[in-house]
Amino acid sequence: MDLRMIALATVCSLPFSLSLSLAVGGIPKSDQPCQAYLDSSQGIDDEKNNCPITVGNFSIRGTFSNSNWQASFWVWEPAYYILHVKNKQNGSTINLTGFNVTGTTSRPQYRFTDSERNVNYIVTFRYSDPNTLRLEIYQNNRAFANELLGRESDKLIGGP
């Protein structure tokens, strides 16, 4: 095979190779339902999640706030997520844990439940903006809060 054929084959296959590498380790591009579960079949806890909170240069892990709310959101270990919420108006706080991932690959949602008070907390984000998340709070299926929170810091507050 001569050098021109090798060069032509390389140039022709480059776009395909680049698209495969982005699909494997990059931010999800298509709008598919989020699917997340814990795979323990190999004797270790391996989280399978097509809507991760950290991928490539993107991370929604950190503390976010506005004038009403402060929320810290992160993963403690595979399939164990933590949401710490502070109501800035009355000073109340809550730590929640869970692994309920819904939404789509363009708008993932992580859901947490305070079963004692029948309150649901939903964190929604977009991969195009690592500095903003949406915090929704529902009590008895009635919206209590629906707020955009901006990144305050990468520092985490609250915890298990």
Side-chain angles (χ1 to χ4, degrees):
M1 190 183 270
D2 73 5
L3 191 54
R4 286 182 299 183
M5 292 300 286
I6 294 171
L8 181 61
T10 302
V11 168
C12 290
S13 64
L14 187 59
F16 180 72
S17 298
L18 286 174
S19 65
L20 279 179
S21 68
L22 289 175
V24 170
I27 293 172
K29 301 262 188 271
S30 62
D31 198 19
Q32 300 296 317
C34 289
Q35 298 177 0
Y37 61 93
L38 189 62
D39 180 2
S40 299
S41 64
Q42 302 297 316
I44 59 168
D45 290 339
D46 186 22
E47 180 180 323
K48 304 293 185 183
N49 188 345
N50 68 339
C51 295
I53 68 169
T54 301
V55 59
N57 291 330
F58 174 86
S59 177
I60 201 71
R61 177 184 188 274
T63 299
F64 300 79
S65 65
N66 66 13
S67 60
N68 298 318
W69 300 94
Q70 183 182 48
S72 197
F73 176 57
W74 74 98
V75 61
W76 179 262
E77 59 187 30
Y80 190 80
Y81 288 80
I82 297 171
L83 176 65
H84 173 84
V85 177
K86 178 180 181 179
N87 180 328
K88 289 184 167 183
Q89 305 305 310
N90 65 20
S92 65
T93 63
I94 188 166
N95 280 306
L96 300 161
T97 61
F99 185 55
N100 182 356
V101 184
T102 63
T104 64
T105 52
S106 63
R107 291 183 75 117
Q109 293 185 332
Y110 283 69
R111 296 171 176 256
F112 300 85
T113 300
D114 175 1
S115 55
E116 290 179 15
R117 297 183 310 143
N118 198 24
V119 179
N120 294 304
Y121 297 77
I122 303 170
V123 172
T124 306
F125 61 89
R126 291 183 181 193
Y127 290 107
S128 60
D129 187 0
N131 295 314
T132 306
L133 61 75
R134 178 175 299 279
L135 176 65
E136 296 174 77
I137 304 173
Y138 295 88
Q139 186 167 33
N140 299 320
N141 296 320
R142 190 176 132 274
F144 181 78
N146 185 352
E147 311 240 354
L148 289 176
L149 308 181
R151 183 176 296 278
E152 181 179 300
S153 73
D154 292 334
K155 180 182 172 195
L156 303 172
I157 56 176

